[in-house]
């Protein structure tokens, strides 16, 4: 059995760790509420705007399509991997990195696949195995629509000038604090609405459909990317809060076990001392 000093040191160490994980849990819980409200409020607008543009695009003649709807042979693919800048959030980053690697090795096997990293973790890991053409980790320092728009504009330019034939976004979609869903969305070219297009005869367009689409598509793409990053941001805090909650529970359980071990060791030491005293007294009496 370990001596009392070693056990006391371990108890102090575990208690210190427990305080840290508990504090991180509370910080993430506070940040989660704000991030969750932001993505919940944004989703309906983003989904409706995307649906509208897909419907309008589907109703246009193929030769009148936008430059962002150009479906050419896919030879070069860019995957935008959205992770966090920090760890200690369970499998949050690992799931994105594994899925991104799967897309590169399996889904797009035989094609040129490059990555753009949004988040320090994506850049650090993916750059060891793949070509990373951009790192936008600093976007989390000031997560605003304007800052994300600059990244979206870079992506649109890479597609229009032919650098890449397809651009995908991989991110964690926020469901609740304990659940994040890995999503892969096609960013470019724009995916037309499958099946029935909406009844555009019910609407009067001013100016023309094509002009409206050309004006709204860049805004829609910026909104799509912003939504993905916002989803990932909320998911990160949910994952970290859950991970730190479990870590705090484990530390509490370990501390309790160590305290029990310490008490047993202390009781054994006291018993031995009493036995030695009694034995000595008996020896003197004899």
């Amino acid at each position: 059995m370990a001596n009392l000093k070693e056990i006391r040191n371990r108890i102090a160490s575990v208690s210190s760790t427990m305080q840290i994980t508990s504090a991180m849990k509370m910080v993430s819980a506070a940040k989660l509420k704000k991030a969750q409200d932001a993505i919940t409020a944004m989703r309906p607008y983003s989904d409706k705007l995307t649906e509208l543009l897909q419907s309008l695009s589907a109703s246009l003649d193929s030769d009148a399509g936008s430059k962002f709807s150009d479906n050419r042979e896919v030879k070069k693919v860019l995957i935008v991997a959205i992770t966090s800048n920090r760890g200690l959030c369970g499998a949050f980053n690992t799931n994105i990195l594994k899925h991104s690697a799967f897309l590169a090795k399996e889904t797009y096997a035989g094609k040129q696949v490059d990555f753009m990293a949004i988040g320090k973790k994506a850049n650090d890991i993916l750059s060891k195995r793949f070509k990373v053409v951009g790192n936008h980790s600093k976007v989390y320092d000031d997560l605003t629509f304007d800052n994300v728009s600059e990244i979206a504009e870079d992506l649109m330019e890479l597609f229009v000038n032919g650098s890449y034939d397809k651009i995908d976004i991989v991110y964690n979609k926020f469901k609740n604090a304990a659940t994040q869903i890995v999503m892969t969305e096609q960013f470019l070219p724009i995916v037309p609405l499958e099946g029935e297009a909406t009844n555009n005869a019910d609407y009067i367009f001013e100016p023309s459909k094509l002009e409206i689409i050309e004006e709204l598509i860049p805004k829609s793409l910026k909104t799509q990317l912003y939504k993905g990053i916002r989803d990932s941001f909320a998911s990160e805090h949910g994952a970290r809060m859950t991970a730190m909650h479990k870590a705090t529970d484990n530390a509490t359980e370990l501390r309790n076990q160590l305290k029990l071990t310490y008490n047993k060791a202390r009781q054994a030491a006291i018993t031995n001392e009493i036995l030695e005293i009694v034995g000595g007294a008996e020896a003197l009496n004899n």
Side-chain angles (χ1 to χ4, degrees), residues 219-239:
K219 184 176 182 180
S220 174
L221 292 171
K222 293 174 183 178
T223 302
Q224 181 184 357
L225 181 61
Y226 184 57
K227 179 179 72 72
I229 296 177
R230 270 289 178 191
D231 248 320
S232 179
F233 188 63
S235 297
E236 175 193 349
H237 290 303

Side-chain angles (χ1 to χ4, degrees), residues 62-272:
S62 58
D63 58 349
S66 164
K67 57 186 176 181
F68 300 114
S69 304
D70 184 14
N71 282 290
R72 45 188 182 253
E73 183 183 355
V74 178
K75 296 180 180 178
K76 296 175 289 184
V77 180
L78 179 65
I79 299 175
V80 182
I82 304 176
T83 62
S84 66
N85 285 341
R86 298 182 297 142
L88 296 177
C89 47
F92 173 82
N93 291 316
T94 304
N95 290 338
I96 293 296
L97 297 172
K98 284 184 177 179
H99 188 66
S100 298
F102 174 81
L103 290 176
K105 296 293 186 180
E106 301 293 336
T107 305
Y108 297 121
K111 298 177 173 58
Q112 176 189 327
V113 180
D114 296 336
F115 285 88
M116 177 178 286
I118 298 179
K120 187 174 182 296
K121 292 298 180 180
N123 182 65
D124 291 348
I125 303 300
L126 292 175
S127 60
K128 296 177 182 179
R129 300 174 57 191
F130 305 99
K131 180 181 178 182
V132 177
V133 298
N135 176 24
H136 297 279
S137 303
K138 293 183 178 180
V139 72
Y140 290 114
D141 296 340
D142 185 18
L143 186 53
T144 63
F145 182 79
D146 290 338
N147 289 337
V148 174
S149 294
E150 296 177 5
I151 303 174
E153 288 172 359
D154 292 341
L155 293 173
M156 287 185 272
E157 178 62 26
L158 288 171
F159 178 78
V160 172
N161 65 23
S163 297
Y164 296 98
D165 304 310
K166 186 179 181 183
I167 300 177
D168 284 346
I169 304 174
V170 181
Y171 67 96
N172 277 298
K173 181 179 180 179
F174 178 81
K175 183 176 181 181
N176 54 53
T179 307
Q180 300 82 39
I181 304 170
V182 177
M183 299 291 293
T184 303
E185 289 184 359
Q186 183 171 314
F187 186 71
L188 286 168
I190 293 174
V191 182
L193 190 65
E194 293 184 0
E196 235 182 79
T198 57
N199 294 324
N200 291 318
D202 296 339
Y203 301 96
I204 298 175
F205 296 95
E206 181 64 36
S208 67
K209 291 182 191 176
L210 183 58
E211 290 178 89
I212 293 174
I213 289 177
E214 292 291 347
E215 179 70 24
L216 287 184
I217 278 180
K219 184 176 182 180
S220 174
L221 292 171
K222 293 174 183 178
T223 302
Q224 181 184 357
L225 181 61
Y226 184 57
K227 179 179 72 72
I229 296 177
R230 270 289 178 191
D231 248 320
S232 179
F233 188 63
S235 297
E236 175 193 349
H237 290 303
R240 182 170 290 111
M241 185 185 75
T242 302
M244 291 302 99
H245 175 73
K246 292 179 180 178
T248 302
D249 288 347
N250 291 337
T252 302
E253 182 180 351
L254 179 58
R255 184 188 63 175
N256 292 338
Q257 291 176 353
L258 288 171
K259 282 185 175 181
L260 182 61
T261 302
Y262 175 79
N263 290 334
K264 287 181 178 179
R266 185 166 174 269
Q267 185 179 25
I270 293 172
T271 301
N272 288 334

